[in-house]
Amino acid sequence: MCKPLQVKVFRFNPESDVAPKFDDFEVPVFDNMAVLDVVIHIQNYLDRSLSFRFSCRIGMCGSCAMYVNGRARLACRTQVSSLKTRDITIMPLPNFPIIRDLVVDMEPFFDKWKKIKPYYVPKRELDEPVTVQPNSNEREFIDDMLDCISCGCCYSACSMVATNKDYLGPAALNRAYTLIADKRDAIRVERLKVVDRSYGVWRCHTQFNCAEVCPKNIVPTRSIQNLKRRCVLKKFGIFK
Amino acid sequence: MPNSHVMSADAFRTRSQMWDATGMWAWVLHRITGLGLVFYIILHTILMAGSLLSGKEDFDSTLSILMGHPVFEFLDILLLGTVLYHGLNGIRILLFDIGIGVRVRTQKDLFWIFMGVGAILWFWSILLKLGW
């Protein structure tokens, strides 16, 4: 039998606690155990008041993102064995207001998501549907970036978000790029105006923290760098 | 509005910490060396201009202190290291701007390649300065 895990969990209830604290739990290990199994075990058998979010358990919904041993990770996709230690510290995602324990308020994240109008707007004047070839470079690049599940890991890892509350953040900018790079979109220039600001793409300092933690292996920095180039082209009147 | 009670500006939140990420350290050191160089240029300009304006003798004596004192020899080496780091990491950032190396693994490799080149140049310059 393996030694049990020593788990430290961040606890905070704004309605009753003055300050946050850590609770210690001893959790038995089983094969292929994920961090999500750890918190579920704590809630089922050790402390029913522990709050956290989860839904799909297969890395699709993006709701179980937590700050585990110094990194934002999806709890369901993080194997305990991959942490290479028996000591696990679980905290809520940084840079988000805390609702309770490991549950954070995603509203600031989605407010910024909304600013870039995250939906496709078709061109009305076209008679024929525009096609983008599946094997085109443009398509292949956008495809990778479309994998985003808006879990907020990148947003929580970004030190520019931590130091500037207005910065749009990696996820919103990545989403903006997928639409701006889509030639069928009718409001590409309008979108580019939203991101071409000091709190938009120019706030990114290419630290790659977002890409380091992305559970879907997206590199938002790449999208942001591409957006910066398009912003420069727009200044010279080349981007249309 | 849901969760409005936690949406106030003073709502408790932790701040991001990515201290094990290469890109994060590269940026932190880039800022520190950048500020250091700005401070150096201001100091250098004031010192040189001040001693030049107050006459030939003053300028010569200032230069003899700057060129001869062991502390300033050490600061010279430090200045070269700062310029090398800031310059080489600056080239790395410029490469990102033209779309080269914008991958998690590649940006780290680029960083260590540039740091390797910088370290070789730095030690070579130190040896030259020491007259070896």
Side-chain angles (χ1 to χ4, degrees):
Chain A
M1 180 82 182
C2 289
K3 272 168 63 181
L5 301 169
Q6 303 299 321
V7 187
K8 237 181 214 302
V9 182
F10 179 98
R11 305 301 301 272
F12 184 53
N13 181 355
E15 283 170 4
S16 59
D17 299 342
V18 179
K21 58 176 176 145
F22 282 93
D23 281 349
D24 294 307
F25 300 99
E26 209 172 81
V27 178
V29 194
F30 57 82
D31 283 345
N32 300 321
M33 188 181 204
V35 173
L36 184 61
D37 299 317
V38 174
V39 282
I40 288 174
H41 178 91
I42 293 171
Q43 196 189 52
N44 283 349
Y45 303 110
L46 304 173
D47 186 345
R48 298 192 73 82
S49 68
L50 177 66
S51 305
F52 57 93
R53 280 197 194 105
F54 75 100
S55 180
C56 73
R57 300 184 185 213
I58 51 167
M60 272 176 66
C61 69
S63 57
C64 68
M66 296 169 192
Y67 192 67
V68 183
N69 282 13
R71 281 207 169 208
R73 309 170 202 255
L74 280 188
C76 68
R77 304 302 296 161
T78 306
Q79 292 281 302
V80 165
S81 58
S82 74
L83 298 172
K84 312 266 186 244
T85 175
R86 298 266 151 207
D87 298 311
I88 301 177
T89 305
I90 307 173
M91 292 174 71
L93 285 181
N95 299 341
F96 287 96
I98 295 164
I99 294 176
R100 185 173 161 156
D101 297 339
L102 305 173
V103 181
V104 293
D105 188 347
M106 299 292 284
E107 209 153 306
F109 176 83
F110 285 112
D111 277 349
K112 290 167 183 178
W113 192 260
K114 279 179 215 159
K115 276 187 185 166
I116 56 105
K117 297 189 172 67
Y119 42 84
Y120 167 65
V121 179
K123 289 178 177 166
R124 295 201 181 278
E125 68 271 20
L126 296 172
D127 300 324
E128 292 286 319
V130 181
T131 54
V132 177
Q133 291 302 319
N135 58 352
S136 69
N137 286 339
E138 176 193 2
R139 182 74 256 163
E140 282 174 8
F141 182 81
I142 298 174
D143 269 353
D144 283 350
M145 302 305 174
L146 283 174
D147 280 350
C148 178
I149 52 173
S150 51
C151 60
C153 282
C154 57
Y155 188 88
S156 75
C158 179
S159 42
M160 293 304 122
V161 171
T163 51
N164 186 309
K165 66 180 172 54
D166 295 323
Y167 176 42
L168 291 173
L173 291 171
N174 179 67
R175 178 67 187 147
Y177 183 70
T178 59
L179 293 159
I180 288 167
D182 190 337
K183 290 197 178 98
R184 302 167 304 159
D185 189 65
I187 56 165
R188 296 161 73 217
V189 175
E190 192 185 317
R191 279 188 225 283
L192 205 61
K193 279 182 190 159
V194 177
V195 301
D196 187 11
R197 307 241 166 108
S198 66
Y199 60 76
V201 289
W202 305 108
R203 183 66 55 183
C204 172
H205 288 281
T206 56
Q207 292 179 359
F208 290 87
N209 287 357
C210 51
E212 291 261 2
V213 299
C214 179
K216 307 302 274 185
N217 295 325
I218 298 171
V219 187
T221 318
R222 247 183 115 199
S223 301
I224 297 171
Q225 291 302 95
N226 282 335
L227 281 175
K228 283 178 185 171
R229 276 200 294 280
R230 280 168 197 253
C231 290
V232 173
L233 291 177
K234 184 170 74 71
K235 287 264 187 300
F236 287 105
I238 302 168
F239 179 80
K240 295 213 166 47
Chain B
M1 194 173 88
N3 308 325
S4 57
H5 63 288
V6 293
M7 282 303 290
S8 62
D10 60 347
F12 187 86
R13 66 184 81 189
T14 57
R15 296 291 179 192
S16 56
Q17 301 155 46
M18 282 287 294
W19 301 111
D20 60 338
T22 310
M24 176 75 189
W25 279 109
W27 177 80
V28 169
L29 282 174
H30 199 77
R31 272 291 150 104
I32 293 170
T33 52
L35 288 170
L37 288 173
V38 168
F39 178 69
Y40 163 75
I41 288 167
I42 292 169
L43 202 70
H44 178 75
T45 314
I46 290 171
L47 196 66
M48 288 294 108
S51 60
L52 260 178
L53 288 173
S54 54
K56 185 178 178 304
E57 287 76 24
D58 267 8
F59 183 68
D60 285 346
S61 65
T62 311
L63 264 195
S64 65
I65 295 169
L66 291 179
M67 303 297 282
H69 202 284
V71 171
F72 288 108
E73 295 283 333
F74 172 74
L75 288 176
D76 247 3
I77 292 170
L78 204 65
L79 174 67
L80 180 67
T82 308
V83 169
L84 278 172
Y85 177 83
H86 199 80
L88 289 169
N89 193 53
I91 295 172
R92 172 175 162 267
I93 294 168
L94 285 175
L95 289 179
F96 299 153
D97 284 338
I98 54 170
I100 296 171
V102 196
R103 292 271 179 198
V104 180
R105 188 67 248 171
T106 325
Q107 61 94 10
K108 285 182 191 170
D109 292 344
L110 275 176
F111 178 77
W112 291 115
I113 289 168
F114 278 122
M115 287 310 103
V117 171
I120 291 167
L121 286 173
W122 198 35
F123 284 119
W124 180 56
S125 314
I126 292 170
L127 292 178
L128 281 181
K129 198 167 177 62
L130 293 172
W132 286 2

